[in-house]
Amino acid sequence: MKIVLLAIGKTDDKNLIQLIDNYQNRLKHYIKFELDIIPDIKNVKNLSEAQQKEKEGELILKKLQPTDHLILLDEKGKEFRSVNFADFLQKKMNSGIKQLVLVIGGPYGFSDEVYAKSQGKISLSKMTFSHQMIRLFMVEQLYRGFTILKNEPYHHE
């Protein structure tokens, strides 16, 4: 299985980029992983919230293959403890999915079309975080999940 973390907009913070790269490199030991960035939409000031979600949704859907398993990172999604998230990853791998796509949407969430195409939603917290920070948290949790599955000494219960 391959995991793709799809996100809208680039990260400007060099410290975050360095940390994300660190965990991406660690993840390579366990699974094929790709961070795919969709460029920011131009002229968002001229768009309504609904129009922005619609345009971002079109860009997200264009990136997907018909066989992709789409999971949205959404504040209304299911919350996991790290061990349970590791189990979730194992179940996805066991199910024969070729590509698991985790999507970080724009500031207003996802369009109805993206919600309709998804196979689930995950929430990292009831708190709100910047979309750039979520990238780091998600890559770290993926790494943590695989170290849990391999019984490696990274996660402590």
Side-chain angles (χ1 to χ4, degrees):
M1 182 175 82
K2 177 180 178 181
I3 297 176
V4 175
L5 180 59
L6 185 58
I8 302 222
K10 66 182 187 339
T11 301
D12 295 328
D13 188 313
K14 289 179 180 18
N15 295 314
L16 275 177
I17 292 167
Q18 186 177 5
L19 288 166
I20 291 166
D21 288 348
N22 179 16
Y23 283 105
Q24 274 187 268
N25 288 330
R26 291 180 186 197
L27 258 178
K28 289 177 187 173
H29 300 289
Y30 303 100
I31 197 157
K32 291 179 191 167
F33 176 80
E34 177 186 345
L35 176 57
D36 190 355
I37 306 298
I38 295 173
D40 285 309
I41 293 175
K42 307 286 185 231
N43 300 320
V44 290
K45 292 178 184 126
N46 301 330
L47 300 176
S48 70
E49 183 179 313
Q51 289 171 319
Q52 186 172 341
K53 284 197 301 190
E54 202 63 39
K55 285 193 177 292
E56 289 170 347
E58 290 168 9
L59 295 172
I60 290 167
L61 294 173
K62 277 185 192 172
K63 291 278 189 175
L64 300 176
Q65 303 301 315
T67 58
D68 285 351
H69 192 83
L70 180 64
I71 301 291
L72 307 179
L73 297 176
D74 185 277
E75 63 186 6
K76 296 178 184 79
K78 178 180 169 99
E79 288 188 20
F80 288 100
R81 295 183 66 243
S82 293
V83 172
N84 301 116
F85 182 62
D87 291 339
F88 168 85
L89 292 171
Q90 185 67 63
K91 285 177 185 161
K92 295 300 176 197
M93 288 187 294
N94 292 349
S95 71
I97 293 169
K98 286 187 169 88
Q99 186 160 276
L100 175 64
V101 180
L102 304 164
V103 185
I104 302 168
Y108 303 114
F110 300 101
S111 67
D112 291 340
E113 292 79 10
V114 173
Y115 278 117
K117 180 88 173 146
S118 76
Q119 281 92 16
K121 297 180 287 190
I122 293 175
S123 173
L124 294 182
S125 173
K126 292 188 186 312
M127 291 182 185
T128 302
F129 300 110
S130 75
H131 286 73
Q132 282 111 6
M133 302 261 319
I134 291 297
R135 296 169 198 195
L136 172 61
F137 298 158
M138 196 65 232
V139 176
E140 190 279 340
Q141 282 300 301
L142 287 166
Y143 173 72
R144 182 177 297 273
F146 283 103
T147 63
I148 289 168
L149 293 175
K150 299 284 186 185
N151 292 315
E152 294 177 355
Y154 179 77
H155 178 78
H156 305 285
E157 278 281 299

